[in-house]
Amino acid sequence: MSAVPRLADVPRRLSPDAFWDLFGRLEHAELDFKRGVPADVRDTVAAMAMTRGGLIVHGVDDRRTFVGCPLSQDTQDRITRIAGECGVDVQLLALSVDQLELTICAVPEVRGRIVTTPDGRLLRRVGGDSQPLRGDAMARFVREREHRAGEDEPLAVVDLSAFDLDAVNQALAADGRPAVAQDGVERALTDLGVAVGAAPPLRPRVLRAALVLFASEPREHQRGAAVQLVRREGIGPGPGPSSAREECAGPLADTVDCCLRFVAAHTRRFEIVAGSRREALPEYPEPVLREAIVNALAHRDYGLVGATVDITVWDDRIEVRSPGPLPGHITLENMRAEHYSRNPRIMRVMKIMGLVEESGEGIDRMYREMEARLMEPPVFEATASSVTVVLRNRMLVDVEDQSWLNQLDRGDVTAAERRALVAARRAGAVAPRDLRAMLPEADVDALLSRMVARGLLSRVGRRGGTRHVLSDALVRLAGNPGMAAHNRRRQVLLDEIRRRGSLSTNEAATLLNAAPAVARGLLNDLVRDGLARAAGRTRGRRYHLR
């Protein structure tokens, strides 16, 4: 989904190509196309006002053909009357495209009160549709919407030197705005939407959102504006002994980096032999960790003064806990399909700076990244006072297989398909009966047919002797399956050298249950590839990490 332009940034005349480049052709939560000014515009206005606002382009039909809708007196009166029935103040703009005049209607996001259609329906934008809220989801949405978000609280006393100038200028640059000096910070915060302008001689009101995003030391102005991190031994239950603690605070982007450094320092990194290279694979996918931390900071309830985001690293999992319940109408069941931001000001700046994905895509990405590594999916837990995401480090295949799967670079390969590929790679081929034992709930015949059609596997043999091997295209892309066992044995030796500090040929042979000549050949392979070094004469030679 492309972000819609601000009304002030829309040129008055555009070529058709420039129009589509600016707006995009797909309707979404913040963009809708109308042929004229139909009666259902009131649904779109009410829904956009209760979501994130947006633009309605009048004069483009469903086939994305320009048909024109001039901003005449009649058009203006009809749009403003419909918006007025919903209690929404809109702005209108005339735009010429290919000698046709269109009308752009800018709908603001409305907070602090509820907007309904004239017949009393409460709508939200979901994709390009305006959908009603019902039952408990509607009740929670109303309570949340009528309550002023913590990010909107004005700061009582503001010393502009409290804001990190570099962090502010990074956000301005990402938003296409010029850098400012220290005396321009107040205006910059207003431009970024985290301060509210006022007529002179009054100064703009700087909001708590600005403190969260840009303060050098936010804890001096708000208790709890930090992340508490702890490494605990074991897996619980109970708190368990802690081996490390840290508190991360500062500009929000720096806080995210600080959290990632702590987690990296207190989780494992696996050294993988990939051909002649050594690769490092983190215990948890970094995109998943980043998304979990960013979500906790972006969606926490900043009205809960004193509460912190808490990250706990256990032996078997990481827990990221965010203060406050699920926002608005979001539930554990709909959180992958729907989106609601408790802190839209903070979220907007985080989007500008590239810290978050497009709305609603971040959680999906967490699931995809864990599935790509054949790890358990993230688990979300919600109470009346907090939301926690749990990431477990259990893996269905070993890290060498995960490294090989990463080379596929195909996000459309499902978890079942990945497991079938690993089985074929390990054994050289996989039979349907093997997959039925491995994947008892899958339709194995359909799975194999689909993988053959997609060029992932090739079928060999007939009837009872049918087996499936990696396709030639996949072998070219991700490596020779005949090397899998070889690389796995090299990996075992490398891991044992790391554990012991050094390894002899006889020790390696015992470990692999192989002849000394085979073990010596594998150790010398590691030396030749620069992954290990040999020290000592032939009989007393030992192999160390390079």
Side-chain angles (χ1 to χ4, degrees), residues 28-58:
H28 51 75
E30 298 175 53
L31 180 67
D32 201 285
F33 295 111
K34 302 290 185 187
R35 180 182 180 89
V37 189
D40 67 359
V41 167
R42 59 175 53 90
D43 289 0
T44 308
V45 169
M48 282 186 172
M50 286 288 91
T51 312
R52 296 188 297 276
L55 299 181
I56 305 171
V57 181
H58 300 268

mmCIF file of all heavy atoms in Angstrom, residues 28-58:
data_model
loop_
_atom_site.group_PDB
_atom_site.id
_atom_site.type_symbol
_atom_site.label_atom_id
_atom_site.label_comp_id
_atom_site.label_asym_id
_atom_site.label_seq_id
_atom_site.Cartn_x
_atom_site.Cartn_y
_atom_site.Cartn_z
ATOM 1 N N HIS A 28 -7.232 1.527 -1.042
ATOM 2 C CA HIS A 28 -6.827 0.974 0.249
ATOM 3 C C HIS A 28 -7.467 1.810 1.346
ATOM 4 O O HIS A 28 -8.360 2.623 1.078
ATOM 5 C CB HIS A 28 -5.303 0.914 0.379
ATOM 6 C CG HIS A 28 -4.590 2.194 0.054
ATOM 7 N ND1 HIS A 28 -4.572 3.277 0.901
ATOM 8 C CD2 HIS A 28 -3.868 2.563 -1.035
ATOM 9 C CE1 HIS A 28 -3.855 4.255 0.364
ATOM 10 N NE2 HIS A 28 -3.425 3.848 -0.820
ATOM 11 N N ALA A 29 -7.034 1.611 2.587
ATOM 12 C CA ALA A 29 -7.699 2.265 3.711
ATOM 13 C C ALA A 29 -7.725 3.780 3.579
ATOM 14 O O ALA A 29 -8.663 4.440 4.043
ATOM 15 C CB ALA A 29 -7.012 1.866 5.029
ATOM 16 N N GLU A 30 -6.719 4.376 2.907
ATOM 17 C CA GLU A 30 -6.630 5.827 2.833
ATOM 18 C C GLU A 30 -6.880 6.369 1.427
ATOM 19 O O GLU A 30 -6.587 7.534 1.168
ATOM 20 C CB GLU A 30 -5.239 6.270 3.313
ATOM 21 C CG GLU A 30 -4.966 5.904 4.764
ATOM 22 C CD GLU A 30 -3.548 6.235 5.191
ATOM 23 O OE1 GLU A 30 -3.111 7.380 5.004
ATOM 24 O OE2 GLU A 30 -2.863 5.328 5.719
ATOM 25 N N LEU A 31 -7.406 5.537 0.540
ATOM 26 C CA LEU A 31 -7.659 6.003 -0.833
ATOM 27 C C LEU A 31 -8.892 5.307 -1.402
ATOM 28 O O LEU A 31 -9.027 4.082 -1.300
ATOM 29 C CB LEU A 31 -6.450 5.703 -1.725
ATOM 30 C CG LEU A 31 -6.584 6.135 -3.192
ATOM 31 C CD1 LEU A 31 -6.634 7.659 -3.310
ATOM 32 C CD2 LEU A 31 -5.420 5.583 -4.026
ATOM 33 N N ASP A 32 -9.790 6.105 -2.009
ATOM 34 C CA ASP A 32 -10.985 5.558 -2.633
ATOM 35 C C ASP A 32 -11.280 6.346 -3.910
ATOM 36 O O ASP A 32 -11.106 7.573 -3.941
ATOM 37 C CB ASP A 32 -12.177 5.643 -1.684
ATOM 38 C CG ASP A 32 -13.282 4.666 -2.059
ATOM 39 O OD1 ASP A 32 -13.997 4.916 -3.048
ATOM 40 O OD2 ASP A 32 -13.428 3.650 -1.363
ATOM 41 N N PHE A 33 -11.697 5.634 -4.963
ATOM 42 C CA PHE A 33 -12.064 6.283 -6.219
ATOM 43 C C PHE A 33 -13.587 6.239 -6.390
ATOM 44 O O PHE A 33 -14.213 5.206 -6.130
ATOM 45 C CB PHE A 33 -11.409 5.581 -7.411
ATOM 46 C CG PHE A 33 -9.901 5.666 -7.425
ATOM 47 C CD1 PHE A 33 -9.125 4.541 -7.207
ATOM 48 C CD2 PHE A 33 -9.265 6.882 -7.654
ATOM 49 C CE1 PHE A 33 -7.736 4.615 -7.226
ATOM 50 C CE2 PHE A 33 -7.881 6.964 -7.677
ATOM 51 C CZ PHE A 33 -7.115 5.831 -7.456
ATOM 52 N N LYS A 34 -14.172 7.355 -6.819
ATOM 53 C CA LYS A 34 -15.600 7.440 -7.107
ATOM 54 C C LYS A 34 -15.795 8.037 -8.493
ATOM 55 O O LYS A 34 -15.091 8.982 -8.879
ATOM 56 C CB LYS A 34 -16.317 8.318 -6.077
ATOM 57 C CG LYS A 34 -16.173 7.878 -4.627
ATOM 58 C CD LYS A 34 -16.927 6.584 -4.349
ATOM 59 C CE LYS A 34 -16.867 6.234 -2.868
ATOM 60 N NZ LYS A 34 -17.451 4.897 -2.598
ATOM 61 N N ARG A 35 -16.802 7.509 -9.216
ATOM 62 C CA ARG A 35 -17.104 8.065 -10.529
ATOM 63 C C ARG A 35 -17.647 9.480 -10.398
ATOM 64 O O ARG A 35 -17.254 10.382 -11.133
ATOM 65 C CB ARG A 35 -18.114 7.173 -11.241
ATOM 66 C CG ARG A 35 -18.487 7.672 -12.640
ATOM 67 C CD ARG A 35 -19.518 6.787 -13.302
ATOM 68 N NE ARG A 35 -19.834 7.303 -14.616
ATOM 69 C CZ ARG A 35 -19.190 6.985 -15.737
ATOM 70 N NH1 ARG A 35 -18.187 6.124 -15.686
ATOM 71 N NH2 ARG A 35 -19.520 7.510 -16.900
ATOM 72 N N GLY A 36 -18.545 9.675 -9.460
ATOM 73 C CA GLY A 36 -19.127 10.995 -9.203
ATOM 74 C C GLY A 36 -19.196 11.236 -7.712
ATOM 75 O O GLY A 36 -18.213 11.048 -6.999
ATOM 76 N N VAL A 37 -20.384 11.640 -7.239
ATOM 77 C CA VAL A 37 -20.586 11.815 -5.796
ATOM 78 C C VAL A 37 -21.793 10.970 -5.399
ATOM 79 O O VAL A 37 -22.894 11.481 -5.150
ATOM 80 C CB VAL A 37 -20.815 13.295 -5.427
ATOM 81 C CG1 VAL A 37 -20.809 13.457 -3.900
ATOM 82 C CG2 VAL A 37 -19.755 14.185 -6.049
ATOM 83 N N PRO A 38 -21.647 9.648 -5.349
ATOM 84 C CA PRO A 38 -22.768 8.773 -5.019
ATOM 85 C C PRO A 38 -23.127 8.852 -3.540
ATOM 86 O O PRO A 38 -22.367 9.364 -2.720
ATOM 87 C CB PRO A 38 -22.239 7.379 -5.388
ATOM 88 C CG PRO A 38 -20.760 7.491 -5.200
ATOM 89 C CD PRO A 38 -20.409 8.889 -5.603
ATOM 90 N N ALA A 39 -24.286 8.298 -3.204
ATOM 91 C CA ALA A 39 -24.759 8.355 -1.817
ATOM 92 C C ALA A 39 -23.844 7.605 -0.867
ATOM 93 O O ALA A 39 -23.733 7.974 0.313
ATOM 94 C CB ALA A 39 -26.179 7.792 -1.737
ATOM 95 N N ASP A 40 -23.152 6.531 -1.373
ATOM 96 C CA ASP A 40 -22.321 5.756 -0.454
ATOM 97 C C ASP A 40 -21.023 6.470 -0.072
ATOM 98 O O ASP A 40 -20.216 5.927 0.680
ATOM 99 C CB ASP A 40 -22.023 4.369 -1.022
ATOM 100 C CG ASP A 40 -21.131 4.396 -2.260
ATOM 101 O OD1 ASP A 40 -20.741 5.484 -2.704
ATOM 102 O OD2 ASP A 40 -20.829 3.298 -2.787
ATOM 103 N N VAL A 41 -20.822 7.704 -0.577
ATOM 104 C CA VAL A 41 -19.673 8.494 -0.116
ATOM 105 C C VAL A 41 -19.746 8.698 1.389
ATOM 106 O O VAL A 41 -18.711 8.776 2.071
ATOM 107 C CB VAL A 41 -19.613 9.848 -0.860
ATOM 108 C CG1 VAL A 41 -18.637 10.797 -0.176
ATOM 109 C CG2 VAL A 41 -19.188 9.638 -2.304
ATOM 110 N N ARG A 42 -20.964 8.784 1.949
ATOM 111 C CA ARG A 42 -21.083 8.990 3.392
ATOM 112 C C ARG A 42 -20.457 7.817 4.153
ATOM 113 O O ARG A 42 -19.869 8.023 5.221
ATOM 114 C CB ARG A 42 -22.534 9.212 3.806
ATOM 115 C CG ARG A 42 -23.493 8.093 3.461
ATOM 116 C CD ARG A 42 -24.888 8.353 4.030
ATOM 117 N NE ARG A 42 -25.388 9.649 3.650
ATOM 118 C CZ ARG A 42 -26.095 9.909 2.546
ATOM 119 N NH1 ARG A 42 -26.322 8.923 1.693
ATOM 120 N NH2 ARG A 42 -26.537 11.115 2.295
ATOM 121 N N ASP A 43 -20.561 6.582 3.617
ATOM 122 C CA ASP A 43 -19.909 5.443 4.269
ATOM 123 C C ASP A 43 -18.392 5.603 4.251
ATOM 124 O O ASP A 43 -17.707 5.346 5.240
ATOM 125 C CB ASP A 43 -20.283 4.137 3.570
ATOM 126 C CG ASP A 43 -21.728 3.719 3.806
ATOM 127 O OD1 ASP A 43 -22.446 4.453 4.518
ATOM 128 O OD2 ASP A 43 -22.129 2.668 3.291
ATOM 129 N N THR A 44 -17.870 6.041 3.100
ATOM 130 C CA THR A 44 -16.416 6.198 2.967
ATOM 131 C C THR A 44 -15.902 7.292 3.892
ATOM 132 O O THR A 44 -14.871 7.131 4.552
ATOM 133 C CB THR A 44 -16.048 6.517 1.511
ATOM 134 O OG1 THR A 44 -16.640 5.546 0.643
ATOM 135 C CG2 THR A 44 -14.545 6.510 1.315
ATOM 136 N N VAL A 45 -16.617 8.419 3.957
ATOM 137 C CA VAL A 45 -16.203 9.527 4.826
ATOM 138 C C VAL A 45 -16.198 9.078 6.283
ATOM 139 O O VAL A 45 -15.218 9.297 7.022
ATOM 140 C CB VAL A 45 -17.131 10.740 4.633
ATOM 141 C CG1 VAL A 45 -16.874 11.795 5.718
ATOM 142 C CG2 VAL A 45 -16.934 11.353 3.249
ATOM 143 N N ALA A 46 -17.285 8.437 6.722
ATOM 144 C CA ALA A 46 -17.377 8.013 8.119
ATOM 145 C C ALA A 46 -16.309 6.982 8.455
ATOM 146 O O ALA A 46 -15.699 7.024 9.533
ATOM 147 C CB ALA A 46 -18.768 7.449 8.392
ATOM 148 N N ALA A 47 -16.056 6.039 7.537
ATOM 149 C CA ALA A 47 -15.069 4.988 7.797
ATOM 150 C C ALA A 47 -13.655 5.547 7.827
ATOM 151 O O ALA A 47 -12.848 5.181 8.691
ATOM 152 C CB ALA A 47 -15.188 3.883 6.740
ATOM 153 N N MET A 48 -13.320 6.430 6.866
ATOM 154 C CA MET A 48 -11.980 7.029 6.863
ATOM 155 C C MET A 48 -11.746 7.852 8.121
ATOM 156 O O MET A 48 -10.646 7.823 8.701
ATOM 157 C CB MET A 48 -11.792 7.893 5.625
ATOM 158 C CG MET A 48 -11.502 7.129 4.350
ATOM 159 S SD MET A 48 -11.133 8.238 2.967
ATOM 160 C CE MET A 48 -10.600 7.055 1.708
ATOM 161 N N ALA A 49 -12.770 8.588 8.559
ATOM 162 C CA ALA A 49 -12.617 9.413 9.759
ATOM 163 C C ALA A 49 -12.325 8.561 10.985
ATOM 164 O O ALA A 49 -11.631 8.996 11.911
ATOM 165 C CB ALA A 49 -13.882 10.241 9.990
ATOM 166 N N MET A 50 -12.821 7.322 11.009
ATOM 167 C CA MET A 50 -12.609 6.431 12.148
ATOM 168 C C MET A 50 -11.408 5.503 11.948
ATOM 169 O O MET A 50 -11.158 4.619 12.762
ATOM 170 C CB MET A 50 -13.856 5.601 12.402
ATOM 171 C CG MET A 50 -15.001 6.378 13.027
ATOM 172 S SD MET A 50 -14.726 6.807 14.795
ATOM 173 C CE MET A 50 -13.923 8.422 14.653
ATOM 174 N N THR A 51 -10.681 5.690 10.844
ATOM 175 C CA THR A 51 -9.480 4.882 10.622
ATOM 176 C C THR A 51 -8.270 5.813 10.663
ATOM 177 O O THR A 51 -7.858 6.229 11.734
ATOM 178 C CB THR A 51 -9.576 4.108 9.296
ATOM 179 O OG1 THR A 51 -10.856 3.454 9.242
ATOM 180 C CG2 THR A 51 -8.506 3.031 9.189
ATOM 181 N N ARG A 52 -7.724 6.183 9.517
ATOM 182 C CA ARG A 52 -6.553 7.067 9.525
ATOM 183 C C ARG A 52 -6.766 8.273 8.617
ATOM 184 O O ARG A 52 -5.800 8.918 8.221
ATOM 185 C CB ARG A 52 -5.307 6.292 9.072
ATOM 186 C CG ARG A 52 -4.918 5.158 9.993
ATOM 187 C CD ARG A 52 -3.581 4.552 9.594
ATOM 188 N NE ARG A 52 -3.616 3.957 8.277
ATOM 189 C CZ ARG A 52 -4.050 2.733 8.019
ATOM 190 N NH1 ARG A 52 -4.542 1.992 8.983
ATOM 191 N NH2 ARG A 52 -4.035 2.253 6.788
ATOM 192 N N GLY A 53 -8.042 8.541 8.277
ATOM 193 C CA GLY A 53 -8.291 9.596 7.313
ATOM 194 C C GLY A 53 -7.913 9.112 5.923
ATOM 195 O O GLY A 53 -7.577 7.952 5.710
ATOM 196 N N GLY A 54 -7.984 10.008 4.935
ATOM 197 C CA GLY A 54 -7.590 9.608 3.589
ATOM 198 C C GLY A 54 -8.141 10.537 2.531
ATOM 199 O O GLY A 54 -8.678 11.613 2.833
ATOM 200 N N LEU A 55 -8.002 10.140 1.273
ATOM 201 C CA LEU A 55 -8.436 10.932 0.130
ATOM 202 C C LEU A 55 -9.470 10.156 -0.676
ATOM 203 O O LEU A 55 -9.313 8.951 -0.921
ATOM 204 C CB LEU A 55 -7.250 11.266 -0.780
ATOM 205 C CG LEU A 55 -6.106 12.092 -0.176
ATOM 206 C CD1 LEU A 55 -5.034 12.333 -1.228
ATOM 207 C CD2 LEU A 55 -6.605 13.405 0.397
ATOM 208 N N ILE A 56 -10.521 10.856 -1.093
ATOM 209 C CA ILE A 56 -11.505 10.316 -2.021
ATOM 210 C C ILE A 56 -11.347 11.084 -3.324
ATOM 211 O O ILE A 56 -11.431 12.316 -3.348
ATOM 212 C CB ILE A 56 -12.940 10.473 -1.486
ATOM 213 C CG1 ILE A 56 -13.079 9.838 -0.098
ATOM 214 C CG2 ILE A 56 -13.944 9.850 -2.458
ATOM 215 C CD1 ILE A 56 -14.404 10.132 0.579
ATOM 216 N N VAL A 57 -11.082 10.363 -4.417
ATOM 217 C CA VAL A 57 -10.890 10.976 -5.731
ATOM 218 C C VAL A 57 -12.187 10.805 -6.519
ATOM 219 O O VAL A 57 -12.571 9.680 -6.860
ATOM 220 C CB VAL A 57 -9.708 10.345 -6.484
ATOM 221 C CG1 VAL A 57 -9.520 11.026 -7.835
ATOM 222 C CG2 VAL A 57 -8.426 10.442 -5.652
ATOM 223 N N HIS A 58 -12.860 11.912 -6.803
ATOM 224 C CA HIS A 58 -14.105 11.891 -7.560
ATOM 225 C C HIS A 58 -13.795 12.163 -9.031
ATOM 226 O O HIS A 58 -13.129 13.154 -9.353
ATOM 227 C CB HIS A 58 -15.066 12.959 -7.038
ATOM 228 C CG HIS A 58 -15.426 12.790 -5.595
ATOM 229 N ND1 HIS A 58 -16.514 12.086 -5.171
ATOM 230 C CD2 HIS A 58 -14.809 13.258 -4.462
ATOM 231 C CE1 HIS A 58 -16.570 12.118 -3.840
ATOM 232 N NE2 HIS A 58 -15.549 12.822 -3.389
#
